[in-house]
Amino acid sequence: MLHAVSPDDKTNRTLKELKTGLHSVETSNTELTVHGELNDNEAKFNSHRLRIKNVERPQPSYYFLADDENEKNVNWVVGLSQAHILYGFKSSSEIDALLKERESLRPLSDVLYMLGIKGLYNHLNKASIDDIYNWLCPILSETQSDYRNGVIDKNNPDYWLHRLVDSYELYGYPLDANLFNVYLLKMASLSFGQALTIKNNHIFMPIQGSYLEVIGFQQTLCEFDVVDWLYDREYEVDKLHF
């Protein structure tokens, strides 16, 4: 569990800057909601916990726990720089296409067909370390040259797989199931001041940039940690929205 701290001077300065023009964007690939100016929502910020985060090392994936996913919530992630955040599962057909395009992942397409997205996600999180390396290492090897030469762009999930693996290697982490989120989750790209509404029980994973978390005091923020994953893979996935 994570608990945000009370606003410090840095947070208050950031909020003051954000008051001049907080807005959000809408795209066909993410569930973004237009909020308008921060001044219209100042009371919501005053009743929420705030935490500034900078993606510097391998990140967990998170979700806001609620017994009823339709329960009213105003949980935001606000970009403080160009930020990229994986949020919400793609459609089954989108995931299937990505798996079939990569030879080492094709067996997972059969799992998706038989068990659905939830079953696939469970399967990945309970897989052995050897299985994860066998699925991902061929992709890393085949695309290494194109990634280093800048041929693969940010619209390709293989690009983000390489970026995350570089971070894992830098901090000495073994590959884990969170890496598959680049193929399973939608991508939200936020510029400074752009806000992403995070719905209850919807998984999200920041992968680049700086951002501000705005969390309701009654909300519980749960995480799938990249280190704890090695020791505890029995996640409460029944709470997640698929």
Side-chain angles (χ1 to χ4, degrees):
M1 303 294 179
L2 297 180
H3 304 283
V5 298
S6 300
D8 56 17
D9 290 343
K10 181 179 180 181
T11 305
N12 288 327
R13 287 196 302 271
T14 301
L15 287 175
K16 186 176 181 180
E17 294 175 5
L18 286 174
K19 288 181 181 180
T20 61
L22 175 67
H23 62 285
S24 71
V25 295
E26 289 185 290
T27 76
S28 60
N29 296 323
T30 58
E31 298 178 77
L32 300 187
T33 304
V34 176
H35 295 291
E37 296 298 319
L38 177 58
N39 290 334
D40 298 332
N41 297 287
E42 204 161 352
K44 295 177 182 178
F45 270 84
N46 289 339
S47 63
H48 283 63
R49 296 170 293 165
L50 308 171
R51 183 174 71 169
I52 291 177
K53 293 278 288 181
N54 185 42
V55 180
E56 297 177 332
R57 58 174 61 233
Q59 294 293 300
S61 49
Y62 305 94
Y63 68 97
F64 290 102
L65 179 64
D67 292 332
D68 178 3
E69 70 178 56
N70 296 316
E71 176 184 324
K72 185 178 180 182
N73 62 94
V74 192
N75 305 305
W76 295 354
V77 172
V78 182
L80 302 180
S81 67
Q82 186 68 35
H84 293 87
I85 299 169
L86 298 171
Y87 169 61
F89 288 95
K90 296 175 180 175
S91 69
S92 180
S93 60
E94 289 176 303
I95 294 172
D96 186 55
L98 290 171
L99 297 177
K100 288 179 176 176
E101 287 172 1
R102 294 153 179 86
E103 184 175 356
S104 63
L105 300 185
R106 286 175 191 166
L108 296 175
S109 176
D110 295 331
V111 178
L112 175 64
Y113 176 77
M114 292 185 292
L115 303 178
I117 298 175
K118 181 177 179 179
L120 173 62
Y121 191 72
N122 264 318
H123 180 72
L124 292 171
N125 278 296
K126 294 179 180 179
S128 69
I129 297 293
D130 288 341
D131 283 338
I132 290 175
Y133 275 78
N134 288 335
W135 287 324
L136 295 180
C137 284
I139 301 173
L140 294 168
S141 178
E142 292 166 8
T143 58
Q144 178 75 11
S145 178
D146 286 345
Y147 171 70
R148 296 303 179 195
N149 292 326
V151 177
I152 302 177
D153 64 26
K154 293 183 177 182
N155 294 319
N156 188 330
D158 293 343
Y159 170 89
W160 295 105
L161 176 63
H162 277 282
R163 278 194 61 100
L164 293 177
V165 169
D166 285 347
S167 178
Y168 275 50
E169 291 178 348
L170 179 63
Y171 287 94
Y173 290 162
L175 305 190
D176 67 24
N178 269 334
L179 294 169
F180 288 94
N181 286 337
V182 300
Y183 301 110
L184 302 180
L185 303 183
K186 305 170 188 176
M187 174 69 75
S189 299
L190 304 178
S191 298
F192 177 84
Q194 291 182 324
L196 170 64
T197 298
I198 304 294
K199 296 183 179 180
N200 287 330
N201 301 344
H202 283 58
I203 193 168
F204 67 100
M205 179 178 170
I207 56 176
Q208 185 182 40
S210 300
Y211 61 95
L212 173 71
E213 290 177 347
V214 185
I215 307 169
F217 278 110
Q218 302 303 315
Q219 293 299 107
T220 300
L221 181 60
C222 303
E223 76 174 70
F224 296 163
D225 187 82
V226 293
V227 175
D228 290 345
W229 177 88
L230 294 173
Y231 308 101
D232 182 11
R233 305 178 195 177
E234 298 299 324
Y235 299 141
E236 295 183 18
V237 295
D238 288 340
K239 291 293 186 180
L240 294 179
H241 176 86
F242 289 90

